[in-house]
Amino acid sequence: MTQDELKVLVGQAALDYVVPGSVVGVGTGSTVNCFIDALATMKDRIAGAVSSSEKSTQRLLAHGIAVLDSNTVSSIPVYIDGADEIDHQGNMVKGGGAALTREKIVADTAERFVCIADASKLVDVLGAFPLPVEVIPMAAAQIMRRLQALGGQPSLREGVVTDNGCHIIDVRGLRIANPAEMEREINQWPGVVTVGIFARNRASVCLLGTPDGVKTLTF
Ligand code: 5RP
């Protein structure tokens, strides 16, 4: 099975976690695009979606799925999103698609995070994928110096402005042995909007697309 076919498989499998009659939290990325396409088949049985990016919003609307303002929704039973990496405890690195901040906001409103990913995303230790950090532009140089002091090799993602009007720094060479601690540390630096470590908002379930079918990991 190709990677694209595995994405379709887990996108469809995620429908089992959608609570009928409720609002669904929707992430961002190519795997989530497959989920959105699958969600369209049950759009009349949900109350709408809260979206984590302009791209996902456009795709949801194109399918005729109502997109609700996150400020009008106090609780969401399930948030469904992909990941760039996920470890065996459900901690993730996210933000390859530059949507990390809104993803974390919607994930934080949700009772459960269901991660959908192909098997290549499962790792023993996070950090091989460059860690995205969304920053206020005027703080970029100072934050890059701090990330270097932490042992990483930071670089500004050229030509990218996030949905929040901010920039992304990608950090190579980090071994994220303690995701919760590194998330807390980086998040407190002035000018950091969000670091792409999802430990506090880690996955409760991962639907992993493998050549043998969908494997369900629970954390
Ligand atoms: C976007 C993300 C995505 O979830 C992550 O990049 C995975 O994307 P894909 O499903 O395309 O591999 O964090 O900011």
Side-chain angles (χ1 to χ4, degrees):
M1 239 186 270
T2 66
Q3 202 181 22
D4 283 348
E5 286 167 338
L6 295 177
K7 289 178 184 184
V8 171
L9 203 66
V10 292
Q12 277 167 348
L15 290 185
D16 289 345
Y17 290 80
V18 172
V19 179
S22 74
V23 174
V24 187
V26 176
T28 297
S30 56
T31 316
V32 165
N33 284 344
C34 298
F35 168 66
I36 294 173
D37 296 347
L39 187 65
T41 63
M42 60 174 291
K43 66 179 176 189
D44 298 330
R45 286 185 280 138
I46 58 169
V50 172
S51 170
S52 61
S53 65
E54 297 302 329
K55 275 190 187 150
S56 289
T57 297
Q58 291 316 316
R59 199 173 186 100
L60 287 159
L61 292 175
H63 279 300
I65 299 170
V67 177
L68 309 175
D69 178 344
S70 62
N71 283 307
T72 66
V73 180
S74 57
S75 160
I76 300 171
V78 181
Y79 175 64
I80 293 171
D81 198 358
D84 297 305
E85 286 184 336
I86 181 162
D87 70 13
H88 295 273
Q89 288 75 44
N91 301 298
M92 294 166 285
V93 163
K94 293 183 46 52
L100 60 164
T101 299
R102 293 190 185 196
E103 290 173 341
K104 210 177 266 191
I105 291 168
V106 186
D108 201 52
T109 313
E111 285 158 36
R112 287 175 102 188
F113 188 135
V114 176
C115 176
I116 49 176
D118 64 81
S120 69
K121 307 286 183 70
L122 185 65
V123 297
D124 289 332
V125 180
L126 302 174
F129 188 92
L131 175 67
V133 185
E134 182 167 359
V135 301
I136 303 281
M138 74 165 283
Q142 166 73 351
I143 291 165
M144 283 168 74
R145 283 189 289 271
R146 281 183 178 270
L147 289 164
Q148 225 158 7
L150 216 59
Q153 294 115 43
S155 59
L156 201 61
R157 202 180 293 180
E158 291 298 329
V160 171
V161 177
T162 68
D163 286 347
N164 312 306
C166 293
H167 290 169
I168 298 282
I169 295 170
D170 292 304
V171 196
R172 288 170 177 75
L174 290 176
R175 189 175 182 276
I176 308 174
N178 188 334
E181 190 180 298
M182 193 177 285
E183 181 181 27
R184 261 196 310 273
E185 164 74 10
I186 296 176
N187 265 348
Q188 67 173 346
W189 299 343
V192 168
V193 181
T194 316
V195 63
I197 299 172
F198 283 56
R200 195 179 160 273
N201 296 104
R202 66 185 170 277
S204 4
V205 177
C206 178
L207 304 177
L208 201 67
T210 77
D212 301 326
V214 178
K215 205 171 150 190
T216 305
L217 312 177
T218 49
F219 309 105

